[in-house]
């Protein structure tokens, strides 16, 4: 479907790409292959987001809790980060996509950190889709970091505590300058936020498709966008008919 087919589109979509492990198990494959398959369909999802001229797409690739998985699985995900950027960065840059990493890069191995910094630097001046990839990310940690930055500025006398407001806090988040998440999609039927974009999802609509992430297609994405278009967003107020 194209932009004109939707009555309304979100400005910012967040996706929790869940179900790679179950997909691998169902296909009698190693879990690493589930994650690899999960990056394959990502290409089409990003292309479609770009074609629809949605402003921002945030993907949850690796949470701070994911370090608890087996060393083999963590290693596979770390390798996937390198492979993903090696194979996709040229096309993303050509399409003027601007990449931002959400999360603490300093907690990553050197190679991954360098790859992610390079992707951000190379696309920094692009004016197309904002592609946010959350890696070593936790929503609470993001808020703590923002609180600390504001406290430091207050302690240094640059900011009075009463001047701290929502805009100033939002400006300290990794998503600074971007719109809030309008639509949050989590695949595989799980209905949890799992510490993803806690602040940014304050008024998001949630859609929970049953497909496992590797099975999530452009058609599934269009269905989620149609559900969003049909929702009545009130932001705490009343709708016109009420
Ligand atoms: C959840 O599935 C998915 C993850 C923990 C990783 C998602 C990562 C990718 C799709 C790779 C993306 C990488 C880049 C660099 C963009 P799960 O393993 O928790 O699934 P399960 O609940 O079925 O076990």
């Amino acid at each position: 479907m194209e932009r004109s087919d939707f009555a309304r589109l979100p400005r910012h979509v967040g996706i929790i790409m869940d179900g790679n492990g179950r997909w691998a198990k169902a296909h009698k494959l190693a879990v690493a292959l589930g994650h690899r398959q999960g990056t394959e369909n990502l290409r089409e999802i990003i292309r479609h987001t770009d074609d629809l001229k949605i402003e921002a797409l945030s993907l949850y690739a690796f949470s701070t809790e994911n370090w608890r998985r087996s060393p083999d699985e963590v290693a596979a995900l770390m390798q996937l980060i390198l492979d993903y950027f090696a194979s996709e960065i040229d096309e993303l840059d050509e399409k003027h996509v601007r990449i931002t990493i959400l999360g603490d890069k300093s907690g990553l191995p050197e190679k991954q950190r360098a790859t992610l910094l390079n992707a951000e630097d190379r696309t920094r001046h692009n004016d197309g889709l904002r592609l946010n990839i959350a890696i070593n990310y936790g929503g609470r940690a993001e808020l703590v970091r923002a609180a600390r930055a504001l406290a430091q500025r207050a302690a240094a006398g640059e900011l009075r505590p009463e001047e701290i407001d929502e805009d100033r806090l939002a400006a300290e988040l990794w998503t600074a300058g971007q719109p809030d998440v309008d639509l949050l999609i989590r695949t595989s039927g799980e209905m949890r936020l799992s510490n993803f974009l806690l602040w940014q999802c304050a008024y998001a609509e949630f859609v929970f498709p049953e497909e496992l992430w590797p099975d999530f297609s452009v058609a599934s994405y269009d269905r989620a966008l149609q559900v969003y278009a049909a929702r009545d967003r009130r932001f705490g107020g009343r709708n016109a008919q009420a």
Side-chain angles (χ1 to χ4, degrees):
M1 290 171 67
E2 38 187 294
R3 191 168 174 91
S4 57
D5 295 320
F6 296 94
R8 205 156 53 104
L9 278 170
R11 292 178 66 195
H12 188 168
V13 176
I15 306 185
I16 302 178
M17 307 178 287
D18 200 0
N20 295 341
R22 278 163 282 168
W23 184 92
K25 200 169 177 197
H27 291 78
K28 299 196 166 36
L29 296 169
V31 64
L33 291 172
H35 294 311
R36 193 158 286 277
Q37 192 64 34
T39 51
E40 285 302 315
N41 64 335
L42 202 47
R43 189 175 303 125
E44 290 302 322
I45 297 298
I46 294 172
R47 277 187 194 147
H48 195 51
T49 309
D50 187 48
D51 290 345
L52 291 173
K53 300 206 173 2
I54 289 171
E55 287 173 47
L57 175 65
S58 293
L59 304 167
Y60 208 176
F62 193 90
S63 74
T64 47
E65 287 73 37
N66 286 152
W67 294 110
R68 294 192 206 128
R69 298 200 174 185
S70 75
D72 279 357
E73 186 172 354
V74 170
L77 284 164
M78 289 296 135
Q79 184 58 43
L80 212 44
I81 291 171
L82 301 182
D83 296 349
Y84 177 76
F85 284 97
S87 75
E88 304 302 314
I89 189 72
D90 287 341
E91 178 181 337
L92 293 171
D93 195 19
E94 271 160 33
K95 287 181 173 255
H96 309 288
V97 172
R98 177 172 168 190
I99 296 166
T100 300
I101 305 303
L102 316 180
D104 182 9
K105 289 189 286 289
S106 71
L108 292 168
E110 180 52 37
K111 262 192 188 170
Q112 281 70 12
R113 188 164 62 223
T115 297
L116 299 176
L117 277 170
N118 174 63
E120 286 184 313
D121 280 347
R122 180 169 163 183
T123 63
R124 188 171 302 282
H125 300 293
N126 287 349
D127 59 2
L129 172 70
R130 298 285 311 245
L131 177 63
N132 305 313
I133 305 186
I135 296 178
N136 197 24
Y137 175 86
R140 287 185 173 183
E142 181 181 35
L143 288 165
V144 168
R145 183 176 167 272
R148 198 173 284 157
L150 291 171
Q152 275 163 352
R153 287 175 55 200
E158 294 165 19
L159 188 68
R160 281 180 287 122
E162 56 273 24
E163 286 174 327
I164 296 174
D165 58 11
E166 294 190 8
D167 288 345
R168 282 203 165 86
L169 196 140
E172 299 294 340
L173 302 176
W174 280 303
T175 50
Q178 301 191 44
D180 279 349
V181 174
D182 299 300
L183 168 63
L184 191 279
I185 298 171
R186 182 174 188 149
T187 56
S188 87
E190 302 291 344
M191 300 184 192
R192 286 186 299 279
L193 197 46
S194 299
N195 207 13
F196 188 49
L197 301 177
L198 296 179
W199 175 280
Q200 298 88 337
C201 282
Y203 288 100
E205 294 290 334
F206 289 71
V207 177
F208 300 109
E210 288 293 327
E211 291 107 326
L212 304 174
W213 174 251
D215 294 325
F216 189 78
S217 62
V218 167
S220 329
Y221 192 16
D222 279 340
R223 277 194 292 278
L225 291 167
Q226 281 177 304
V227 169
Y228 171 82
R231 292 263 174 96
D232 170 28
R233 301 186 80 199
R234 288 177 301 182
F235 298 96
R238 294 199 190 283
N239 63 14
Q241 293 82 41

